[in-house]
Amino acid sequence: MVMTMMVERCCCVRTHRFLALFLLPLGFTLLASSRGVAAILDPVDFLALQAIRKGLEDMPGSDFFSDWDFTGDPCAFPGVFCAGDRVMALALGNPRAGYPGLQGRLDPALGQLSALAELSLVPGRVTGPVPDELARCPDLRFLALSKNLLSGPIPAGLSALPRLRTLDLSYNQLSGPLSGTLPLFPDSASLLRLDLKHNQLAGPVPSLPPSLQYLALSHNTLTGPVDTVLPRLTRLIFLDLSSNLLEGPIPGSVFEFPLAVLQLQRNAFTGKVEPPQEDVVIPVVDLSYNRLWGGVPPQLAAVGRLYLNNNRFSGEVPSRLVQGLSNGMQLLYLQHNFLTGIEIGPAAAAIPVGASLCLQYNCMVQPFDTPCPLKAGTQKMRPVYQCPDWRG
């Protein structure tokens, strides 16, 4: 009996040693599950991690990959998060502020991580395209690769990912027509955040899913109107389309959205600004540096910071708008328009301390002596020949 137990124990030890020698060279690393039962990392995921590592390296001063030793457990690597035998999330690079990022290229093997739900990349100097193969990750819900040097088009297949919530490719060098590289999202899409600002994208803004709450496309070369695109996005709480070449009217319905920020400045928008409601309560509205004309809407009196400068507004400033500076408005910029005066009304004779009003370079003698930003220039009034409606 004793001899039998000793033989069984010996065989067990030999079996464990054999398995260790056989499995570890292949990289089938043992993972501890939430129940304490060992699980073997999917071999496809293991090989994909190896390929991803070969394509990237630390920038000088970074040591993110120093603990990526494939003789150990990849699920213990910095930035690798597993569930069972699958890689669920990759956070590439050290997220601490000011820490050097990574360089190299994103390997197409990322698409082999078919259970991947989250992929992020810290700011660095990663070049090349966003791999098309990411569209093979059906569970991907968070993709953030901002502030690198990625180039080429946005993979068209990303719009077909059914669970994608966040797509942040901002501050890169992505190019091509936005409506060609980012085809129509289905109305059933669950995308909440789309951030593509500071790239080289061109063309019109395509139809976007009504699920969006955050949309930032600023600092590209997008063209065309948005009056058929924006009205569907009624859940937006942040909208920034600034510094493009967009044109046509601003749809009045955007002023009814639950926005905290509305930034449409530095485009070629034209037409009147006509909010459909009595009071617009968006904290920040910036429509400056466009080609908007007509009267200044009094419905904007409840806006916290209002930038209407460098347009073609004319007529008198509604007294209600100036009175707004005594009722909570912090900033009202109306410089560089064709305004001819202020309506007679209960407008404050003096601007409250801490509030900013600029009326410089209009077709009026300024009724208030208030400081303006330096870029407004030094001329107090437009030349008379530019002001045919002024009767001063």
Side-chain angles (χ1 to χ4, degrees):
M1 184 64 139
V2 174
M3 181 62 69
T4 301
M5 294 176 61
M6 292 178 62
V7 171
E8 289 178 350
R9 183 177 299 174
C10 180
C11 291
C12 182
V13 170
R14 287 178 180 175
T15 300
H16 287 170
R17 288 178 177 174
F18 172 76
L19 288 174
L21 291 173
F22 177 74
L23 294 178
L24 286 177
L26 291 178
F28 297 164
T29 308
L30 296 178
L31 305 177
S33 71
S34 60
R35 295 182 180 179
V37 179
I40 300 175
L41 180 63
D42 186 283
V44 175
D45 285 19
F46 183 90
L47 294 175
L49 288 177
Q50 283 190 320
I52 294 165
R53 171 64 184 91
K54 290 178 180 178
L56 297 169
E57 62 182 5
D58 287 301
M59 290 177 60
S62 173
D63 61 355
F64 174 73
F65 283 123
S66 62
D67 291 327
W68 277 47
D69 181 356
F70 284 91
T71 62
D73 177 3
C75 290
F77 293 176
V80 179
F81 304 90
C82 301
D85 64 343
R86 305 305 308 276
V87 175
M88 304 295 292
L90 275 181
L92 298 172
N94 194 314
R96 288 182 294 177
Y99 209 76
L102 306 178
Q103 57 190 5
R105 299 169 72 90
L106 293 174
D107 195 277
L110 281 164
Q112 299 299 318
L113 301 174
S114 57
L116 192 67
E118 299 183 10
L119 173 62
S120 62
L121 178 65
V122 301
R125 301 187 63 82
V126 177
T127 61
V130 177
D132 292 331
E133 289 77 6
L134 282 172
R136 299 178 185 173
C137 302
D139 293 328
L140 194 63
R141 65 174 184 263
F142 182 89
L143 178 59
L145 309 175
S146 64
K147 297 181 180 178
N148 278 277
L149 301 174
L150 299 170
S151 59
I154 300 170
L158 295 181
S159 64
L161 292 172
R163 296 177 177 84
L164 191 62
R165 299 285 197 279
T166 294
L167 177 58
D168 185 352
L169 304 177
S170 59
Y171 293 96
N172 278 289
Q173 298 176 0
L174 300 171
S175 59
L178 181 59
S179 60
T181 59
L182 196 67
L184 297 179
F185 281 86
D187 285 348
S188 60
S190 55
L191 191 67
L192 299 178
R193 181 185 178 100
L194 178 61
D195 192 343
L196 303 176
K197 63 178 175 284
H198 286 268
N199 278 287
Q200 300 169 12
L201 300 168
V205 179
S207 179
L208 296 169
S211 57
L212 273 178
Q213 297 181 9
Y214 182 105
L215 177 60
L217 303 176
S218 64
H219 291 85
N220 284 284
T221 55
L222 301 174
T223 56
V226 294
D227 55 330
T228 61
V229 176
L230 292 183
R232 303 175 71 244
L233 308 181
T234 58
R235 302 178 187 176
L236 284 177
I237 60 175
F238 182 95
L239 175 59
D240 185 0
L241 303 180
S242 61
S243 297
N244 279 287
L245 301 172
L246 300 170
E247 56 191 17
I250 295 173
S253 59
V254 300
F255 297 101
E256 296 181 301
F257 294 173
L259 289 165
V261 174
L262 173 60
Q263 293 183 311
L264 302 177
Q265 70 269 24
R266 297 186 182 275
N267 279 284
F269 288 118
T270 57
K272 296 182 178 181
V273 177
E274 298 179 315
Q277 63 190 49
E278 184 64 21
D279 288 311
V280 176
V281 293
I282 302 172
V284 178
V285 174
D286 194 340
L287 309 181
S288 62
Y289 293 93
N290 278 289
R291 301 171 185 173
L292 302 169
W293 50 271
V296 177
Q299 300 98 311
L300 299 177
V303 171
R305 301 175 68 85
L306 179 60
Y307 302 83
L308 299 178
N309 53 287
N310 294 81
N311 277 286
R312 299 173 182 176
F313 290 111
S314 59
E316 294 187 324
V317 180
S319 60
R320 182 182 166 202
L321 202 67
V322 180
Q323 185 67 30
L325 290 167
S326 299
N327 296 329
M329 180 182 285
Q330 300 169 321
L331 181 146
L332 176 58
Y333 277 2
L334 295 169
Q335 68 268 23
H336 287 257
N337 280 288
F338 295 85
L339 300 169
T340 55
I342 293 180
E343 289 180 352
I344 298 174
I351 304 303
V353 176
S356 298
L357 170 66
C358 185
L359 295 168
Q360 192 166 301
Y361 207 66
N362 276 286
C363 296
M364 68 166 80
V365 176
Q366 293 186 64
F368 305 110
D369 186 14
T370 58
C372 287
L374 290 177
K375 59 184 177 182
T378 58
Q379 289 181 281
K380 298 296 183 182
M381 180 179 166
R382 280 189 177 274
V384 175
Y385 71 87
Q386 295 182 6
C387 302
D389 296 330
W390 187 57
R391 301 177 181 177

